[in-house]
Amino acid sequence: MHKLEEVKARIALAAKRSGRDTLPTLVAVSKTRSAEEIRPLLEAGQRDFGENRVQEAADKWPALREEYPDVRLHMVGQLQSNKAEEAVALFDAIHSLDRPSLLKAIAKAVETQGRQPDLYVQVNIGAEEQKGGVAVTELGDLLAMAKDKGLKIKGLMCIPPAELESSPFFALLAELARRHGVDGLSMGMTHDVEEAAMLGATAVRVGTALFGPRG
Ligand SMILES: *Cc1c(COP(=O)(O)O)cnc(C)c1O
């Protein structure tokens, strides 16, 4: 599939330019896309997919997963605490853990279900009023609380302010991860995927470049 190969090549080139020898996982963000739009990517071998609503993912993915059992589903949107149980059952990774109440709900679900999705703490890296994510100043406390609850944190996630250059925010996220001893970095979307790949992303979340503009 042409677009998939193109996006992978862009990521690989950026990673190579920065001297990296591992590539970030490409998460194909399939929110709002139908099963028919998703299927060509599955046929081309893509296995990591991102959704931003629990309900939409629960409607769309169980049938596709019967055909492709090795699909890995990533929750990339804001998550309500009352959906935590369903999210832990459905997703292989949650990129939007951003507050104590949600952390508690996830910890409870993990305990009852005996499975833990990969967890990324979303950081409000641009300190934007309406955006999800824990404040930089509160990250340490949230990570300590996760540890206390027995949850392993895979990495940090961010969405930089739309109107600014992303690179300084990606560099800051990488620095925060280093400071807190966390390995993973979920960062980079269609418009800034190369910058993210160069600055150490371990997962990039790409929708538009793979599927075309959302309607
Ligand atoms: C929609 C979305 C993406 C993908 O954005 P594109 O610009 O379409 O690549 C990535 N991350 C999150 C959190 C999203 O909601």
Side-chain angles (χ1 to χ4, degrees), residues 25-195:
T25 299
L26 172 60
V27 178
V29 179
S30 52
K31 64 189 183 196
T32 78
R33 317 293 179 172
S34 66
E36 286 61 45
E37 291 172 277
I38 293 170
R39 193 159 278 131
L41 282 174
L42 286 163
E43 282 163 6
Q46 176 65 24
R47 288 296 178 269
D48 288 86
F49 289 88
E51 292 285 342
N52 68 340
R53 288 167 194 271
V54 175
Q55 193 53 55
E56 184 185 339
D59 289 342
K60 214 158 62 181
W61 280 99
L64 287 168
R65 264 181 163 166
E66 275 185 29
E67 288 175 66
Y68 297 94
D70 55 343
V71 155
R72 290 177 43 83
L73 276 189
H74 300 250
M75 175 61 182
V76 301
Q78 284 195 29
L79 184 56
Q80 291 171 277
S81 298
N82 63 9
K83 298 273 175 67
E85 211 175 314
E86 205 180 343
V88 166
L90 186 62
F91 290 97
D92 301 287
I94 295 173
H95 294 239
S96 48
L97 170 51
D98 66 352
R99 60 193 190 278
S101 56
L102 179 59
L103 192 149
K104 280 180 203 153
I106 289 175
K108 192 165 158 233
V110 164
E111 199 181 329
T112 26
Q113 296 177 32
R115 80 189 293 273
Q116 196 211 286
D118 287 342
L119 297 175
Y120 295 83
V121 170
Q122 183 177 351
V123 180
N124 188 351
I125 202 80
E128 293 174 283
E129 282 283 336
Q130 345 74 318
K131 207 168 246 174
V134 64
V136 169
T137 48
E138 284 160 25
L139 174 61
D141 285 349
L142 193 62
L143 290 171
M145 188 175 167
K147 194 171 180 190
D148 201 51
K149 297 253 170 218
L151 293 178
K152 172 142 179 48
I153 299 299
K154 171 105 171 169
L156 304 182
M157 178 274 217
C158 77
I159 307 170
E163 69 284 5
L164 297 176
E165 256 316 298
S166 296
S167 295
F169 297 98
F170 292 157
L172 174 58
L173 194 73
E175 169 56 24
L176 290 169
R178 256 193 306 278
R179 207 182 289 168
H180 291 285
V182 173
D183 293 329
L185 290 171
S186 168
M187 55 190 201
M189 304 168 39
T190 291
H191 70 282
D192 53 17
V193 67
E194 276 118 335
E195 290 90 330

Side-chain angles (χ1 to χ4, degrees), residues 2-20:
H2 199 72
K3 278 180 184 161
L4 178 62
E5 295 316 316
E6 201 176 287
V7 170
K8 279 190 189 164
R10 279 170 54 194
I11 295 168
L13 181 59
K16 186 171 169 219
R17 282 189 172 131
S18 65
R20 293 179 62 175

